[in-house]
Amino acid sequence: MFKTHTWILGFLGLIQATTLYGQPFRVVIDPGHGGPDEGTVFVHGATRLTEKEVTLQLAQRVAQQLLAQGIQVTLTRTTDQEVTLPRRTALANQLGADVFISIHMNSTHDSSLTEAEGVETYILNSTSDALSKRLARLENSVISQPTESPEQMDVALILKDLRLDANLSESKRLACSIQKSLVAATSKRPLFTKRNRGVKQALFHVLLGADMPSILVEAGFLSSPRDRALVTSPEGQTKMSQAIAQAVAEFQHRKNMKSRFAFNRCKVN
Ligand SMILES: [Zn+2]
């Protein structure tokens, strides 16, 4: 009896770690920036904190958490190195990844937003929101990247449109799952918190080439003391990486009714 029970549990575990087609579920985690491209930088006195180091630490912790769940993980960079935006998704496509997650940190120097803190998660789409546009412009401006002309980018976007429909709703589901999980893990009262900055859309070049559900998470503001404390402490990093890994697991188990309910209530701004 005991043996049968163990066998059934083992079998269920095996199903859990595989997709419907029997392939292992594979996630590509993309720590934003790297090398000479530091991303946003917080400087105060002797303190200097760069987005590229925070995203790498978070990505490595997320990878550990996912591996512990039997999910295969690849990082687009494991050191402080420069990786062009197209190479990041090209790697995910090459590996046939099921999910692509780009991790970034936000910041603001706008005096009206000095209190800004919290999490926002993006999917690739056009937007009319000025702040989302501004953020996308910042994240797209990578140093020494072989840049494409605006016309080339438009062509790329049109081509992407052809593939977008298939991935858009799944990207939204992934984004909603990650947003909800990260906000819950980093807020005392998740339902009423200003830390929930929502699921949004913008034209992030790093998501452009992805052939799978893909999202970009702005995991916090380097300009916010609270967010800095979270992303630089081992406890905060563990909380956040667990939250992202749990959200991926929830996304993977598509038939989870709770997840579907949350998805139906999740708005993209
Ligand atoms: Zn960034």
Side-chain angles (χ1 to χ4, degrees), residues 33 51 104-105 139:
H33 312 276
E51 181 180 357
H104 289 255
M105 293 300 299
E139 297 290 16

Side-chain angles (χ1 to χ4, degrees), residues 75-87:
L75 267 65
T76 55
R77 66 178 177 96
T78 52
T79 59
D80 179 18
Q81 69 192 101
E82 186 177 15
V83 183
T84 64
L85 297 182
R87 268 183 61 195

Side-chain angles (χ1 to χ4, degrees), residues 70-268:
I71 291 175
Q72 294 196 5
V73 194
T74 306
L75 267 65
T76 55
R77 66 178 177 96
T78 52
T79 59
D80 179 18
Q81 69 192 101
E82 186 177 15
V83 183
T84 64
L85 297 182
R87 268 183 61 195
R88 295 173 190 247
T89 39
L91 174 72
N93 293 343
Q94 210 178 343
L95 292 169
D98 296 283
V99 161
F100 178 84
I101 298 172
S102 192
I103 299 179
H104 289 255
M105 293 300 299
N106 224 325
S107 73
T108 178
H109 303 290
D110 183 337
S111 56
S112 64
L113 291 171
T114 45
E115 295 302 311
E117 63 169 67
V119 182
E120 46 198 44
T121 308
Y122 282 85
I123 57 173
L124 176 73
N125 213 339
S126 56
T127 179
S128 54
D129 178 65
L131 284 176
S132 298
K133 272 185 180 170
R134 182 178 164 272
L135 180 67
R137 231 179 2 254
L138 280 173
E139 297 290 16
N140 292 340
S141 63
V142 175
I143 295 169
S144 69
Q145 188 198 342
T147 48
E148 290 166 313
S149 68
E151 292 75 25
Q152 283 172 317
M153 287 308 305
D154 283 348
V155 171
L157 274 172
I158 292 163
L159 289 175
K160 175 75 186 179
D161 257 0
L162 300 174
R163 294 172 296 176
L164 203 57
D165 277 351
N167 286 325
L168 195 58
S169 80
E170 286 293 273
S171 295
K172 183 189 162 191
R173 198 163 67 83
L174 177 64
C176 291
S177 186
I178 286 181
Q179 177 70 14
K180 183 170 149 268
S181 186
L182 256 182
V183 169
T186 59
S187 314
K188 286 195 180 116
R189 300 174 69 204
L191 282 178
F192 305 101
T193 179
K194 63 177 179 176
R195 297 188 53 71
N196 185 3
R197 300 177 59 86
V199 175
K200 302 179 178 186
Q201 47 198 349
L203 295 176
F204 286 104
H205 293 188
V206 71
L207 300 181
L208 200 55
D211 283 338
M212 70 288 303
S214 56
I215 62 105
L216 182 147
V217 57
E218 296 279 349
F221 281 72
L222 285 192
S223 48
S224 147
R226 191 172 188 275
D227 282 357
R228 271 200 311 282
L230 264 174
V231 296
T232 54
S233 69
E235 306 78 50
Q237 286 182 357
T238 302
K239 257 188 206 173
M240 294 174 78
S241 54
Q242 275 173 348
I244 294 174
Q246 274 166 14
V248 170
E250 196 172 300
F251 173 82
Q252 186 192 357
H253 305 141
R254 290 152 203 252
K255 294 200 169 76
N256 181 330
M257 290 312 286
K258 244 164 98 185
S259 150
R260 280 185 177 275
F261 181 63
F263 171 66
N264 289 337
R265 293 173 57 204
C266 174
K267 279 203 177 86
V268 178

